[in-house]
Amino acid sequence: MKDSRAAGAERDTDVAIVGAGIVGATLALLLGQAGLRVMLIEGRESPASWQADSAPEPRVSALTPVSQQLLTGLGVWSTVAASRLMPYTGMQVWDAEGNGEIRFSAEDNGVARLGHIIENRVTLAALEQAIDRCPAITRCYGVRVNDLALPISGSTSVVNAYLLKDAKAVSLTLSDGGSVSAALVVAADGARSGLRDLAGIATREHDTGQVALVTTVRTALPHQAIARQRFLPTGPLAFLPLAVNDEWAQPSEAAPAAQRYCSIVWSTTPEEASRLQALSDRAFYSELQTAFEDTLGTVEWAAERFSFPLYQRHAEEYVLPGLALVGDAAHAIHPLAGQGVNLGLMDAAVLAEELLAGHRRGVALGDERWLKRYSRRRRSDNALMLKMMDGFRLLFGSRQPGVRLIRNLGLGWVDNRSELKRILMRQAMGERGELPDSCKPRQ
Ligand SMILES: Cc1cc2nc3c(=O)[nH]c(=O)nc-3n(C[C@H](O)[C@H](O)[C@H](O)COP(=O)(O)OP(=O)(O)OC[C@H]3O[C@@H](n4cnc5c(N)ncnc54)[C@H](O)[C@@H]3O)c2cc1C
């Protein structure tokens, strides 16, 4: 790994990736380890790091076994596994307004675990360590992209970017006064992608009318490695089992101390979120415990609370000549099924697979026709997931007695169909459609 910090410099690379979040950093490794020159441009000043005695981070992700496979192949998973992660072996989802409930278990699916709950910073720090070992990747951190100039194409709807007639390379102007010339630029700069806006790519978007309140909590009863979610009329409340270090886990007679920490994601109305934010600690613990039906007993402690507005967004185009969108820059999804990062990792794996296949055949990295192979493979899966999240939200948000009855009967019905449950679980574990080779289990 090289560091590119000369302010005002003109740089040249094969692929420039804007955004070193989990998705951008993974794509950088997929391409860099295959020998392409990659420049990773990130607004943050320095690479993410993680220390064993650090407090649990409020942002966590449920990574599927398919995502795990991808990170294993990149040499990242071993670092994650040596840091802090919680395998979960069960899932329980139930309706606050009725008796509908559904449970999934690893045992019923013939697997050791359904996935892992991991703090985002742990994954990011492990990715950064692998980037350190990859000489083909150059970091350019502490800068932002101010301008984008794309090669011209008759069929694009670019409005804001400069169109460079006859040019083969994309050009980026950076906030440090420097510039980068690349055969392909990838926008991995998150849900509010500035690059997507610069390229004039529109999004279909709607406000879910919900805000997610997230924090870490300690409960009296152990989580038993089960991810739980209760659907309230105002939105889902998830308790995701967390691993913590001894410094954090305080002794309790009631349960093994380390099993009593969860990361919560409480999706609710903006008014309710503001009210919950303003509560005293004691009042918050009590409301949280009641909202979760005392499932894990007394809520004894909670860390600082953070809120995120929840939007669903889908980019109208994933590619233009010399440009591709991945991760949240392409699609932002409600966190209720914990799929956001996993979808983004799948984008990175498919884009890398297509780029490297094209490169071997002499296709230019920014060739729009070739890039469309990526968008064809990923757009429909992401669109389906976005629709499903909308469906769940509307179904569980409805207070109409008829809808309530149907969803409760439906949950109970599905819970009794073991084969159907197995199919659903396999899908949630990331086994959908044709997986890229980097995500298939090695023999
Ligand atoms: C409350 C909540 C809970 C969630 N829970 C889950 C879960 O359980 N499982 C799951 O899979 N997903 C979950 N998600 C979704 C998940 O967090 C996102 O899908 C994921 O972080 C997207 O990764 P990304 O790399 O695409 O973008 P980001 O993580 O947003 O990274 C973008 C990066 O780009 C950088 N950047 C931005 N603009 C610029 C610029 N102009 N120039 C340079 N750099 C820039 C940023 O600094 C950042 O590092 C959750 C989301 C929320 C809000």
Side-chain angles (χ1 to χ4, degrees), residues 261-282:
Y261 286 80
C262 287
S263 176
I264 67 146
V265 183
W266 191 343
S267 307
T268 186
T269 61
E271 300 74 32
E272 183 64 356
S274 305
R275 189 186 69 77
L276 292 169
Q277 276 281 16
L279 288 177
S280 69
D281 285 348
R282 285 269 148 233

Side-chain angles (χ1 to χ4, degrees), residues 17-25 41-44 58-64 117 120 124 140 143-146 187-195 212-214 240 264-265 267 308-310 326-344:
I17 299 173
V18 181
I22 293 176
V23 177
I41 300 164
E42 167 58 47
R44 263 182 291 111
R59 287 212 50 177
V60 306
S61 297
L63 289 192
T64 62
I117 308 290
N120 284 9
L124 273 174
C140 188
V143 295
R144 305 190 78 78
V145 174
N146 285 344
D189 52 346
R192 294 186 191 178
S193 169
L195 218 63
L213 188 139
V214 299
L240 306 173
I264 67 146
V265 183
S267 307
F308 303 89
L310 295 175
V326 291
D328 274 23
H331 45 77
I333 187 168
H334 195 290
L336 72 87
Q339 287 295 328
V341 170
N342 297 292
L343 296 180

